[in-house]
Amino acid sequence: MATTSTLAPRTFEDAAAALAAATEEGRTVRIVGAGTKLGWGSVDVAADIELHTAGLDEVVAHDAGDLTATLQAGVPLELAQRTFAAAGQMLALDPPLSPAGGESEPSDPGPGDTAPARPTIGGVIATGDAGPLRHRYGAPRDLVIGMTVALSDGTIAQAGGKVIKNVAGYDLAKLFSGAFGTLGLILSVNVRLHPLHEASVTALGAASDPDVLCRAAVALARAPLEFEALDVAWKGGRGGLLARCAGREATRRAHRAARLMREADLAEVDVTDQDGQLWERQRAGQRSADQALLRVAALPTELADVVRAAEAGDGTIVGRAALGASFVEVAPEAVGRLRAALPRTARAALLDGPAALRDGGESWGAQEGSELELMRRVKARFDPTRTCNPGLFVGGI
């Protein structure tokens, strides 16, 4: 069996040259950030070379006045957030910090310990990974205003700019966000920032009927209350709705949300400003250490059907109430029951889970058709030699 070699370039030019050399030699490359999501995707993603972005770890620029920043791909998201917080700002991305099994506060490793892997900005964008803040601020691709990438032929390409109102160039950010490195290597990104709110207030309510929970979620999603996040959770026949407010009049808006929850027949409605652990649990529910974790996309009005599908597999849910994005954890043997019970228009992508569940496009719930064909054509345009992350994405593209 051939040995996989490892490269960790420290400059854009070296990274591009490594891709070009691999292409010239007919070798394949797997792009790796911190390695927190290496299990996502199809079953066989072995490559001749692992190209790590750890050496591309510079916060190139932070323009606090314009609320923008430029980050190399290997910058840990946690480090970037600390940098921005010092100026009262944030990058509105809050995926789980741990690869699986829950959130934890950063700490220094003791003697002999290994520091836990933390996601990098490049990895978060390449996988489209997002947390509850997606409700208000959008997905990772919505926060990227410019990008520099290296293609498999060694070309270094740029698109977008360093200011928010910029439409110049081909929008590589939209293509490379969520492409799992199958189109090339993200070298750096220009991102838009937002003011950091130190405190927040959350309204929450409970329901044991999926239809009641769905109606309440739709009602809150339509309310003009500018929530930072609007999430649902479901476990063991019981669910909850969480609405987080921050900024001006956060408490007043949270109490208005609580009133709407009562009107929607939710029970045990409460308002709390000690809400940190509530939202840590929501983020932690987006990972699984020993079960199968699927990301389900459905219409927000189909939430009750998604809940019933999860119940059919004895599963649990966390998700974005207004976006129809749910993370469902079930036992590996229950994945088939879950997929069969989901609404016809829903799509389920396997994130965490054993290799036995990963069978090409089935990992992603992909189906042959125009969408999959378009993805293959984009792959052929950007990586015709199939050098980058072979076999990782939908349908083996």
Side-chain angles (χ1 to χ4, degrees), residues 45-351:
V45 293
D48 301 314
I49 300 168
E50 279 195 353
L51 197 160
H52 292 249
T53 63
L56 305 174
D57 59 355
E58 183 182 352
V59 179
V60 178
H62 175 204
D63 191 330
D66 281 343
L67 285 166
T68 60
T70 300
L71 307 167
Q72 292 185 346
V75 173
L77 177 60
E78 203 170 25
L79 172 62
Q81 297 289 30
R82 289 201 299 268
T83 300
F84 304 144
Q89 298 175 352
M90 69 172 180
L91 176 58
L93 291 176
D94 61 337
L97 293 179
S98 301
E103 296 279 87
S104 61
E105 291 296 322
S107 59
D108 295 325
D113 293 338
T114 301
R118 298 295 190 179
T120 61
I121 186 66
V124 169
I125 292 171
T127 57
D129 198 14
L133 287 178
R134 183 182 173 187
H135 169 81
R136 180 169 184 181
Y137 301 100
R141 69 177 191 171
D142 299 310
L143 300 171
V144 178
I145 57 178
M147 183 178 285
T148 301
V149 301
L151 305 181
S152 57
D153 64 358
T155 300
I156 296 178
Q158 294 179 309
K162 297 182 179 180
V163 295
I164 294 172
K165 292 184 179 179
N166 188 304
V167 294
Y170 191 53
D171 197 350
L172 292 176
K174 295 293 190 291
L175 287 174
F176 276 67
S177 297
F180 280 71
T182 58
L183 304 181
L185 167 64
I186 296 174
L187 296 171
S188 70
V189 292
N190 307 327
V191 294
R192 64 181 303 176
L193 307 176
H194 290 85
L196 175 65
H197 301 297
E198 296 289 350
S200 63
V201 185
T202 296
L204 61 157
S208 55
D209 183 335
D211 291 303
V212 171
L213 183 65
C214 180
R215 286 195 298 270
V218 170
L220 269 290
R222 291 173 176 170
L225 294 177
E226 296 185 353
F227 299 124
E228 293 289 291
L230 181 64
D231 258 30
V232 293
W234 187 275
K235 182 177 182 179
R238 188 172 175 80
L241 181 64
L242 302 89
R244 193 174 203 178
C245 301
R248 295 181 59 186
E249 300 186 337
T251 299
R252 182 183 65 83
R253 287 186 285 119
H255 280 281
R256 285 183 61 191
R259 184 169 68 248
L260 289 174
M261 289 180 181
R262 295 187 185 96
E263 292 172 357
D265 297 325
L266 293 188
E268 302 176 25
V269 176
D270 194 11
V271 174
T272 178
D273 59 2
Q274 303 298 310
D275 59 356
Q277 289 189 347
L278 292 174
W279 294 100
E280 283 186 6
R281 284 200 295 269
Q282 289 298 105
R283 288 190 292 272
Q286 295 180 208
R287 299 289 189 271
S288 178
D290 54 6
Q291 300 293 307
L293 194 285
L294 293 92
R295 183 168 55 199
V296 176
L299 295 173
T301 52
E302 294 177 325
L303 173 61
D305 295 326
V306 175
V307 169
R308 281 187 278 268
E311 286 277 272
D314 296 321
T316 65
I317 293 177
V318 302
R320 315 288 92 87
L323 304 178
S326 301
F327 296 84
V328 184
E329 184 180 43
V330 295
E333 60 271 18
V335 169
R337 294 200 304 273
L338 169 68
R339 289 190 186 276
L342 285 170
R344 181 180 57 84
T345 57
R347 294 290 180 267
L350 179 68
L351 301 183

Side-chain angles (χ1 to χ4, degrees), residues 362-382:
E362 181 61 21
S363 298
W364 301 104
Q367 299 178 0
E368 289 292 341
S370 59
E371 293 179 355
L372 188 53
E373 178 58 27
L374 177 60
M375 293 182 192
R376 288 177 174 139
R377 288 168 59 188
V378 172
K379 171 70 169 177
R381 170 63 181 82
F382 283 88

Side-chain angles (χ1 to χ4, degrees), residues 25-50:
E25 297 165 5
R27 306 175 76 192
T28 56
V29 177
R30 186 172 195 190
I31 298 165
V32 179
T36 60
K37 292 176 277 288
L38 287 181
W40 293 11
S42 301
V43 61
D44 185 8
V45 293
D48 301 314
I49 300 168
E50 279 195 353

